[in-house]
Amino acid sequence: MSYPSRQHAFDLLNRYTSKPGLIKHAIAVEEVMRYFARQCQGDEEEWGIAGLIHDLDYEMFPDQHCLKAKEILEADGWPKNLIRAVLAHGWRLFTEVKPESEMEKHLYATDELSGFIVACALVRPTKKLSDVDVEFVCKKWRIPSFAAGVKRDVVARGAELLNTSFERLANETLKALQASADKLGL
């Protein structure tokens, strides 16, 4: 399938996103999606690009999140499956587009979780992903005040869609982030 290049996606992201933390989050989700594409025999470039652009509109249009991205991506000629993945990652919060493909399910399940795991790294003395293990993630997960903005119900529904446990999803997402630690500066 034909889709825009990673550079085109990154340039588009930067056109609508200026906050370094949001750009770093987009790159983290991109790396997580590439990891899961390899695990699922998906198209690594395609899955990565979906992760990179998933929050394209979040900074400028938070009240129209996912919906404004759809308009932007359609106007830019993006393929329907990537637009649908962006819409599906906002299921039940911003859209009624339920994740169906493996790419959509993984994006939905790991978007919030990747941010949570990065938060786990940032509270470690070294601020390094290498100093985080799945037990630490699970311990912090049970503390509602830790990374309180993370939508734990979304991650739980995502794990259910993937027919896996939270622990396994957290472990695999952590591995993906650790493999990209240098790129993320963590």
Side-chain angles (χ1 to χ4, degrees), residues 36 40 91 98-102 105-106 108-109 154-170 172:
F36 281 108
C40 299
W91 180 46
K98 183 178 180 180
E100 293 175 355
S101 71
E102 285 300 306
K105 290 175 185 177
H106 280 86
Y108 180 79
V154 169
V155 177
R157 274 195 304 271
E160 189 176 306
L161 285 170
L162 292 169
N163 197 29
T164 193
S165 67
F166 168 77
E167 293 78 13
R168 180 162 166 65
L169 182 62
E172 292 300 308

Side-chain angles (χ1 to χ4, degrees), residues 8 10-17 56 60 76:
H8 182 80
F10 189 69
D11 291 345
L12 191 63
L13 173 68
N14 279 282
R15 193 174 313 151
Y16 292 94
T17 306
L56 170 71
M60 291 181 75
D76 198 43

Side-chain angles (χ1 to χ4, degrees), residues 8-148:
H8 182 80
F10 189 69
D11 291 345
L12 191 63
L13 173 68
N14 279 282
R15 193 174 313 151
Y16 292 94
T17 306
S18 64
K19 293 180 181 173
L22 286 176
I23 292 171
K24 186 179 271 192
H25 170 69
I27 294 168
V29 176
E30 172 190 16
E31 293 302 317
V32 167
M33 289 297 290
R34 287 178 180 281
Y35 173 89
F36 281 108
R38 290 189 297 272
Q39 302 299 311
C40 299
Q41 289 77 49
D43 183 321
E44 187 177 335
E45 193 69 14
E46 178 184 39
W47 285 42
I49 288 171
L52 185 63
I53 56 127
H54 79 283
D55 279 344
L56 170 71
D57 60 356
Y58 186 75
E59 182 180 333
M60 291 181 75
F61 307 100
D63 295 334
Q64 299 174 56
H65 183 39
C66 301
L67 303 174
K68 199 65 171 173
K70 176 182 185 276
E71 290 177 24
I72 293 165
L73 296 171
E74 283 178 342
D76 198 43
W78 282 60
K80 287 183 170 104
N81 68 315
L82 286 171
I83 295 170
R84 191 178 194 295
V86 170
L87 289 169
H89 105 274
W91 180 46
R92 292 192 175 173
L93 296 173
F94 302 99
T95 77
E96 293 304 315
V97 179
K98 183 178 180 180
E100 293 175 355
S101 71
E102 285 300 306
M103 180 174 69
E104 292 168 359
K105 290 175 185 177
H106 280 86
L107 182 57
Y108 180 79
T110 61
D111 173 25
E112 296 281 326
L113 182 55
S114 65
F116 184 85
I117 291 171
V118 167
C120 287
L122 293 175
V123 300
R124 304 302 289 176
T126 61
K127 299 190 181 324
K128 296 291 183 190
L129 285 160
S130 59
D131 290 332
V132 176
D133 59 25
V134 74
E135 290 79 19
F136 185 75
V137 172
C138 290
K139 176 183 170 191
K140 290 295 190 183
W141 188 256
R142 293 187 291 272
I143 303 170
S145 61
F146 180 79

